[in-house]
Amino acid sequence: MATNESTPVRAGASAVPYGHVIGSEKWRGTELAQLLQGKIKLMFEDGLGLVDFHLSNRACVLYISESDMVSGNAFKRRLVRFRKASNLKGLVIAERTRLSDQYFAPVQNFIVLELGMVLLPVTNQSEAAQLIVHLVQERSREGGSNPFLAKKHGHLSDASVLQSVQTIPGVGRVKAQQLLQRFPSIQQLSDASLRELEAVVGRGIASNIHSFFTQTSGHSSDSHPL
């Protein structure tokens, strides 16, 4: 789906009333927009730049479709530009389908480990609509921070982080859980010393983790070859 990249993020769009969503004009008439209409108050604006949907409290959704994922690195450039240009809370919704599944692990690694963003996988636009509606409704009821970014409602983002940690060589689900109990975020895990890691998972796996993040930091979002 084409994106107006001349305007990375239009700042005014971040002031969204509770219960409302501002969607990019490019989504008008799509299945996702039709599924959202009637469940939340959806308004369309042109010129939102890289962002697909603005929620309240300076949170926004960047959507990666199946076709985006299989067609190249354009979506990665878009995400990197967003991270550099904006202090908004970016949630990435990505379509994980039978066709895109083979690309999903490196995409997840890039989004969560390198960019430090929350990744929420969906199988189609219907599931994406349900997710966005849930986000908006929870945000409106609580009047607090985004439920997928807050610790109280961290189960989806935690699951995404857990899956990402398991992409590190030698780290299975149990080890990933142990690591996240000691280092609750990707940032804390990547900053951990070799000795701190050894205390949790032993020398061999700790060395793998330390090497993984050392290599990743050499290909960060500031210098990633896109």
Side-chain angles (χ1 to χ4, degrees), residues 13-31:
S14 61
V16 183
Y18 291 139
H20 291 65
V21 171
I22 296 178
S24 172
E25 187 67 37
K26 66 187 180 185
W27 286 95
R28 187 186 292 274
T30 64
E31 177 190 4

